[in-house]
Amino acid sequence: MDFMALLGIGLLTGVTTALFGFGGGFVAVPVVVWANAALGPDAMRVAVATSALVMLVNAGFATAVTPRRTLAALRGGGPLLALLAAGAAAGAFAVRYAPAGPVRWAFLGYLALTIADLALRPGFLRPNPRPRPRPLADTAAPARGPLPAALGLPIGAVAAFLGVGGSVLTVPAMRRAGHPMRLATVLANPLTLVVTLPATAVSLGGTVDSAAAQAHAQLVGLVDLRAAGALLLGALPVIALLRRRPPRIPDRVHAWAYLALLCVMTAAMAFAG
């Protein structure tokens, strides 16, 4: 795929990182599959690994430019962060040895199930009929983390295995816990950072078995550095701009836009090479 096309997609990953908490996974995976179609079945593994690196940098940068008073909502979340990292390491090791075809179908299947869940079950697009906890204010510092710690291990494992960073798991969970979209999407970035750090470390030590890999000198382990570099070059300035001047989006519109983006990414992945 042309470098300028990757750069343009990078701009989109910057928007999704800043506005929806997606560090780039659902955008990056289909694009990197296309860019590495010559690798055949290994293209999915390379896409997952490259996505992890892109999300690591995007989420790290987004976290660094987030106001400290907002990040205070993570106080008390130490056990959650530790289990996210442990699960991510396990998921990254698993994807190195899993058949590429099933990983791609698992990616699509998870997206489809998530879309159905968000659209049909109360708590994301429409209020839950049961009483919910009071939403966290941006300036609050709760005594507990934003999610139950027990969710850390499965969220980390699934996110690293599929290359999605975790935001598609954490944002709906925080939303259903009573947090507004604005806070849930902002907090998704530091949680994604915790997931993608071990996943990237494991991916850099992997190898591609395909003979076509010889033509991909830009591969380091399982990571396509050329694709990652182009995506990040487009994303980082957008993240900085949107963190400095965040748009005011009504909560309900924000939730619908999140769901619509998942639908677009599912269609993109379904038609990826």
Side-chain angles (χ1 to χ4, degrees):
M1 181 175 286
D2 182 77
F3 182 86
M4 294 305 295
L6 286 167
L7 187 66
I9 297 296
L11 296 173
L12 178 58
T13 70
V15 173
T16 63
T17 299
L19 298 186
F20 301 102
F22 297 148
F26 281 103
V27 180
V29 169
V31 171
V32 180
V33 167
W34 284 328
N36 290 279
L39 294 177
D42 284 325
M44 185 64 190
R45 273 190 286 268
V46 169
V48 170
T50 305
S51 169
L53 177 61
V54 171
M55 288 186 293
L56 173 65
V57 178
N58 281 348
F61 183 68
T63 300
V65 297
T66 297
R68 301 302 99 180
R69 65 181 182 277
T70 302
L71 294 178
L74 288 173
R75 289 179 185 172
L80 170 66
L81 300 181
L83 289 172
L84 279 171
F93 272 112
V95 79
R96 285 176 56 175
Y97 303 104
V103 173
R104 181 170 180 268
W105 285 110
F107 184 98
L108 280 169
Y110 185 80
L111 274 174
L113 288 174
T114 299
I115 289 169
D117 178 69
L118 299 186
L120 300 176
R121 191 156 65 99
F124 189 82
L125 294 177
R126 58 189 186 279
N128 194 315
R130 296 189 302 274
R132 297 187 301 171
R134 179 178 58 85
L136 293 173
D138 282 3
T139 57
R144 58 179 179 82
L147 290 173
L151 294 178
L153 199 63
I155 286 176
V158 171
F161 187 80
L162 299 181
V164 298
S167 56
V168 79
L169 295 93
T170 58
V171 170
M174 285 188 280
R175 173 84 167 158
R176 288 204 167 95
H179 308 329
M181 281 295 293
R182 181 174 179 273
L183 183 61
T185 53
V186 168
L187 293 184
N189 286 310
L191 297 180
T192 294
L193 178 61
V194 172
V195 168
T196 53
L197 184 58
T200 300
V202 171
S203 298
L204 289 171
T207 58
V208 174
D209 296 329
S210 171
Q214 297 177 2
H216 286 65
Q218 69 271 22
L219 290 182
V220 175
L222 293 172
V223 176
D224 182 346
L225 289 183
R226 178 176 178 272
L231 290 168
L232 290 170
L233 188 62
L236 295 179
V238 177
I239 295 172
L241 176 63
L242 292 178
R243 275 288 184 265
R244 183 182 296 267
R245 298 178 180 277
R248 295 186 177 276
I249 306 174
D251 191 67
R252 187 173 178 81
V253 173
H254 203 166
W256 274 101
Y258 183 99
L259 180 61
L261 182 60
L262 288 186
C263 293
V264 171
M265 290 304 104
T266 301
M269 190 61 190
F271 292 102

